[in-house]
Amino acid sequence: MTTTFYPPFLGARLMSTLDHLTSGRVGCNLVTSHNVRTAQNYGLDEQIEHDTRYEMADEWIRLVKALWDSWEPDAVEFNEETGVFANHEKVHHVDFQVAGMPHVDH
């Protein structure tokens, strides 16, 4: 999974789903996509500079971990009688600011 172009939320959701479906028998190879053709697939003329890609990857990993940690282990209730999927008090807001980007209040 390329941390340079794959959205962190989608990465967190995909890996969490695969972890659930495989009972924890899943792994993920994270890459920073060094090839210029990959960058061109995403509308860039050139690849992002090496050190910047690795800074982005570190930030991507921090955000994915924060998303995973935002759900307490027993948050999912899946109660068909009440229609409650998850206990909202056990799902926490992730307030993450991307480096170099202005903070947006929700």
Side-chain angles (χ1 to χ4, degrees), residues 50-65:
H50 175 274
D51 290 349
T52 302
R53 289 195 321 270
Y54 278 81
E55 289 170 11
M56 292 169 64
D58 288 342
E59 190 169 69
W60 191 96
I61 291 166
R62 285 195 310 275
L63 178 51
V64 167
K65 286 181 178 180

Side-chain angles (χ1 to χ4, degrees), residues 55-105:
E55 289 170 11
M56 292 169 64
D58 288 342
E59 190 169 69
W60 191 96
I61 291 166
R62 285 195 310 275
L63 178 51
V64 167
K65 286 181 178 180
L67 290 166
W68 287 335
D69 292 343
S70 68
W71 286 64
E72 294 180 25
D74 59 344
V76 176
E77 294 181 0
F78 198 62
N79 187 326
E80 291 185 33
E81 274 185 31
T82 63
V84 173
F85 174 74
N87 182 335
H88 71 279
E89 293 179 357
K90 295 182 179 188
V91 179
H92 308 287
H93 179 78
V94 174
D95 188 16
F96 192 91
Q97 184 174 347
V98 176
M101 298 291 287
H103 182 73
V104 177
D105 289 325

Side-chain angles (χ1 to χ4, degrees), residues 6-22:
Y6 203 82
F9 177 82
L10 295 180
R13 186 172 66 177
L14 173 63
M15 294 312 299
S16 182
T17 299
L18 290 173
D19 180 65
H20 173 74
L21 292 174
T22 64

